[in-house]
Amino acid sequence: MLYLWLKALHIIAIVCWFAGLFYLPRLFVYHAMSEDAASRERFCIMERKLYRGIMGPSMIATLVFGIWMLVANPALFSSGAWLHAKLTLVVLLIGYHHGCGALLKRFARGDNQRSHVFYRWFNEVPVLFLLAIVILVVVKPF
């Protein structure tokens, strides 16, 4: 029963984390398009609160509950290479998360060098991660 609770909490944390991973780059799009100081300041506040208040805690909760599930059921490690591929993607997703943090700091310093078009493409990256991770977990292709 504990394992099912851990899985439920893990999924809830993932949903919250991905909500932020989808929304923060969208805020970057609008921030890069903003032309007045008041808008830029407002976007800085929104981005910071999203990153620190939702994305960070959700990422940590995702990792805690995921690791706890692995500890509770170590047989998962021998269930196939799908888990290793998934964990690799999670590590890369953590890198994407921290890359968002670095971009957030650039915006806060007023040092953004990229256009809204870049951020529109950058916004699609977590979709690819989500597709791959869900397919690996549900289908377990290898």
Side-chain angles (χ1 to χ4, degrees):
M1 189 64 160
L2 172 65
Y3 185 80
L4 294 177
W5 278 103
L6 293 173
K7 186 185 280 191
L9 293 170
H10 181 65
I11 292 168
I12 291 165
I14 290 167
V15 170
C16 294
W17 187 23
F18 267 94
L21 289 170
F22 290 146
Y23 189 47
L24 184 62
R26 178 54 51 181
L27 287 175
F28 291 160
V29 170
Y30 300 136
H31 195 158
M33 293 172 57
S34 66
E35 297 178 2
D36 60 289
S39 294
R40 287 192 293 272
E41 181 60 32
R42 186 176 322 112
F43 282 117
C44 282
I45 292 167
M46 292 170 65
E47 292 158 359
R48 186 183 72 245
K49 287 183 176 186
L50 177 63
Y51 188 78
R52 291 183 185 164
I54 295 171
M55 291 173 64
S58 297
M59 179 188 69
I60 291 167
T62 297
L63 296 174
V64 166
F65 292 124
I67 292 167
W68 198 350
M69 284 192 319
L70 291 172
V71 170
N73 187 7
L76 284 172
F77 281 112
S78 59
S79 64
W82 68 270
L83 179 64
H84 296 68
K86 178 209 172 198
L87 294 175
T88 300
L89 289 174
V90 170
V91 168
L92 293 172
L93 190 61
I94 292 167
Y96 179 84
H97 174 101
H98 288 293
C100 285
L103 291 169
L104 182 144
K105 289 177 185 175
R106 284 190 136 189
F107 272 112
R109 288 191 313 261
D111 190 29
N112 174 47
Q113 303 290 319
R114 302 184 190 245
S115 74
H116 68 94
V117 176
F118 169 82
Y119 294 110
R120 288 181 194 279
W121 285 104
F122 185 74
N123 190 42
E124 302 305 321
V125 172
V127 173
L128 301 175
F129 278 106
L130 183 63
L131 289 171
I133 290 170
V134 169
I135 290 169
L136 285 168
V137 171
V138 174
V139 179
K140 296 178 177 64
F142 44 85

